[in-house]
Amino acid sequence: MMHFPTRRTILGAASAVTLLALTACGNVAGGATDSAKYPNGPVNLTVGQAAGGSTDLIARALAEGASKTLGQPVPVVNKPGANGALATKEVAGKPADGQELVLLTASLITITPLAVTQDEAVNIDDLDIIAGLSQDDYVLVASTQSGFKTFKDISDAGRNVTFGTTGVGTGSQLAQTVLFKQAEVKGTDIPFDSGKPALTAVLGNQVELATIQLGEAMPQIKAGKVTPLLVFSEDRNSFLPDTPTAKESGYDVPVAQYRAVAAPKGTSQAVKDKLLAAFQETFKSEAYKEFNKKNSLTPKEISGEEVLTEWKSYAAKYKELVAKYDISLSGTK
């Protein structure tokens, strides 16, 4: 386990030494945080998606493990809407004391800014990233009533198709929109707030297709209730080896979902270290490893600095892709 410094009891008049000690132990701008006493009560983990979806499930698995190390409850708070932008901005505005965290999706940072105004977009530099969590590949599924068995069936249909996405400005929307653009397929986009309602719509044949995270779709794929057509990873997914990638089917659509946990900007290093240690203990637990396997998640447990570098790179790549195919994710083209 990592060793974390505690605040010394300093007697006598205030001095430069006292100021330095206080600064080292807490974030002056956000209110001094005593790392020895942290966490001081429950640590809320906010999720900007509906309960039951992949992001929510990941948050709950992480919270369960971290609470044991932190010695305090880590309740998950669902505040769906705008692909998580509303919830993320709310947490970013909280005191930087480590008591409020957010489960961050890469699509919110890398794709949503391509669909909304600058004021509506979330800036990753407004947060302190604690750690990366996992990679969740997207899969295009069809309702059994649609009659689609392969993506070629869709491209050969010669008609408008209805498809669901996990929301405006999501990886789901980007992957499916670019795919349809390249394949010259016409479709009507119906956005949902997360993967669960999108999948429910496919199951009920309210939409013929949807692009959602593999972990959410896998139980229904195994049950034969939806048909997997394509995955959007660079290579075939080990959890779905018989389903071709969009790339090998002739379409250049490499899009995946990544997640990380973040705190308000200015959280003290001591508190961030304590949180990271709790998450790393969770990553090593058999229960969390089994959770990833059960939900078809590939661990991507990287540092906050690596998350920043990689996600900014993805943002530039997706911006180029949208420009290349003259796509508007806001639906204005």
Side-chain angles (χ1 to χ4, degrees):
M1 289 291 293
M2 298 174 64
H3 175 71
F4 302 97
T6 59
R7 184 192 296 272
R8 291 189 303 154
T9 302
I10 302 176
L11 301 177
S15 66
V17 175
T18 304
L19 179 59
L20 288 172
L22 289 171
T23 303
C25 295
N27 172 35
V28 175
T33 300
D34 188 338
S35 62
K37 296 179 180 179
Y38 176 80
N40 184 21
V43 177
N44 294 316
L45 179 56
T46 297
V47 177
Q49 287 75 28
S54 290
T55 303
D56 172 71
L57 294 176
I58 292 169
R60 293 180 188 278
L62 183 70
E64 182 178 355
S67 66
K68 297 174 183 177
T69 303
L70 293 173
Q72 289 284 356
V74 182
V76 173
V77 182
N78 294 93
K79 294 185 178 181
N83 190 31
L86 301 179
T88 303
K89 287 187 174 185
E90 180 178 327
V91 172
K94 298 278 188 178
D97 56 9
Q99 299 295 145
E100 299 286 342
L101 307 175
V102 64
L103 205 296
L104 198 61
T105 62
S107 61
L108 175 63
I109 303 301
T110 62
I111 301 171
T112 301
L114 302 174
V116 300
T117 65
Q118 186 173 351
D119 289 341
E120 294 173 310
V122 172
N123 188 339
I124 196 170
D125 292 326
D126 292 338
L127 297 158
D128 280 342
I129 312 301
I130 309 300
L133 302 175
S134 56
Q135 174 179 332
D136 195 354
D137 288 330
Y138 286 105
V139 59
L140 174 65
V141 297
S143 73
T144 55
Q145 297 178 55
S146 71
F148 297 137
K149 303 295 183 183
T150 67
F151 185 71
K152 190 174 185 300
D153 293 337
I154 300 170
S155 59
D156 289 347
R159 63 173 177 82
N160 190 81
V161 296
T162 56
F163 65 94
T165 70
T166 59
V168 173
T170 63
S172 165
Q173 184 196 29
L174 176 66
Q176 195 154 281
T177 303
V178 173
L179 174 66
F180 279 19
K181 192 81 169 183
Q182 292 181 356
E184 299 182 347
V185 171
K186 295 187 181 299
T188 300
D189 180 356
I190 302 175
F192 295 88
D193 274 340
S194 62
K196 186 176 181 180
L199 179 60
T200 299
V202 177
L203 289 168
N205 201 43
Q206 295 169 319
V207 295
E208 296 174 284
L209 308 162
T211 295
I212 55 179
Q213 271 82 55
L214 181 58
E216 293 173 320
M218 188 61 83
Q220 303 302 336
I221 291 173
K222 289 181 176 179
K225 295 183 178 180
V226 296
T227 305
L229 305 181
L230 292 174
V231 292
F232 292 94
S233 48
E234 291 282 359
D235 302 302
R236 290 202 181 196
N237 188 287
S238 61
F239 296 106
L240 205 62
D242 295 330
T243 301
T245 66
K247 186 176 180 179
E248 68 183 277
S249 301
Y251 306 104
D252 181 23
V253 196
V255 181
Q257 178 66 290
Y258 305 91
R259 296 180 179 85
V261 62
K265 191 74 173 181
T267 301
S268 74
Q269 189 61 50
V271 168
K272 289 189 289 187
D273 287 345
K274 209 163 192 177
L275 285 167
L276 178 59
F279 298 146
Q280 289 176 331
E281 284 299 306
T282 300
F283 297 157
K284 291 187 293 185
S285 70
E286 289 304 317
Y288 190 79
K289 290 178 181 179
E290 183 60 29
F291 165 80
N292 278 337
K293 183 178 179 181
K294 181 180 179 181
N295 290 278
S296 308
L297 298 168
T298 302
K300 196 170 178 65
E301 295 151 0
I302 59 179
S303 70
E305 291 77 12
E306 289 174 296
V307 170
L308 277 171
T309 299
E310 290 194 2
W311 288 18
K312 287 184 177 182
S313 176
Y314 296 142
K317 180 177 182 178
Y318 296 153
K319 184 177 181 179
E320 180 182 357
L321 196 61
V322 166
K324 178 179 179 180
Y325 291 103
D326 193 29
I327 291 170
S328 171
L329 298 181
S330 61
T332 59
K333 292 183 181 178

